[in-house]
Amino acid sequence: MGVVSSGSPSPYGGGIVKPLPREWFVPHGGSAEMRWDTLADTGLYTPNERFFVRNHTATPLIDPRTWRLRVHGSALRGGGAEFSAADLRALPARTVDAVLECAGNGRRFWAEQQGTPAPGTPWGLGGVGMASWRGVPLADLLRAAGLGPDAVDVLPSGLDPEYTVGGRNLGHVRRPLPIAKALDADVLVAYEMNGEPLPPDHGAPARLVVPGWVGVASIKWLGDVEVADRPLGSPWNTEYYRLFGPAQPEGGGPALTGQVVKSAFELARGAVLAAGRSHRLCGRSWSGTGPVREVEVSTDGGLVWRPAELLDPPAGHGWTRWCLDWHPPAPGRYGLRARATDGRGAVQPAEAEFNREGYLFGAVVVHPVTVV
Ligand code: MTE
């Protein structure tokens, strides 16, 4: 439906269309990780050209003039509905500021910090970004399509090429949302990102944005939404994006929903800092379950924690920028630590509970620097 072609293979794979300069991105096969050390000058929102990309296959180039979003299924009265890009823009718009983060963000620290490697993209902490998303609440489209009282699950699907792994074709990337979540006013079918039309790599002409939930819920290149009167499934909520491991029930935990609390320094790992002077250490913290209300920083291995100055008032689904001045006592190697607490009181632990796929690494990440 309106798909013109897929992006040409980029040097990183993943058919990513936008340029991926090394000073902004760390390449990971089909994905591009944002570099935290060059984020300092960007302001609160991650510019579109610097936003991380996670593609299962390749960015499709979709003609917005022929694109349609089809809403259908057993829980709709009547035959469902189709919306064009112009139809979406004619409906009342809503803007939501939200962090988008991959469930595997921080995966390399399972190996590096806890000695328990997990397979999959070895993200540092740059599988995350924050944007101002504008679009139409999914709820409004479901209601306009004749939503009935017996709806149970909503299954949004992408128009990117079908995903094949180990010789098995899993079909289009898709993942069900329970109806209660689908009706949350902040869940958008977004057509703008940071005041610009959604770029191709981020889901043009329209994508789902599910604030606070694992990134895979935010289906890009949305083409189809099924609304059913029974539970729906897909490999993305049965095989992937669930927790399996010693701390989980036999057969695995439930499908992942909210993200955990995390923090990152806007500093290169292994940065070299000058001795004998003060340094302003800055970073950002975020959580899937409410705004961050406190950030503490330790520069001495976790013995003493000092409160960082929060630059953004805790609000909504965004991240909070923070800074703290540090005068290193002597030349040497240091492990900086930042630990955030969200509005519900969830605090980053010193160690995360292992799961087989390496999702949700929420422990405090030790950030090495050398003072010379
Ligand atoms: N939607 C489709 N159709 N295809 C995809 O590959 N990747 C998901 C999600 N939506 C994906 C998708 C994952 S795993 C993540 S983390 C986010 O999109 C990444 O969004 P971004 O590339 O805009 O940063």
Side-chain angles (χ1 to χ4, degrees), residues 51-57 100-103 123 127 133 157-160 172-174 193 201-203 207 214-222 236 241:
F51 210 94
F52 84 99
V53 182
R54 160 70 168 114
N55 281 355
H56 280 74
T57 57
L100 180 74
E101 184 186 18
C102 200
W123 298 98
W133 309 95
S157 303
L159 290 168
D160 40 337
H172 289 293
V173 176
R174 62 199 188 284
M193 180 176 179
D201 295 311
H202 298 291
R207 78 176 300 166
V214 284
V216 69
S218 293
I219 295 293
K220 303 195 273 189
W221 313 293
L222 196 60
W236 287 270
Y241 300 100

Side-chain angles (χ1 to χ4, degrees), residues 67 116 186 228 250 257 263 335:
W67 174 84
T116 52
D186 286 348
E250 185 83 13
T257 56
S263 302

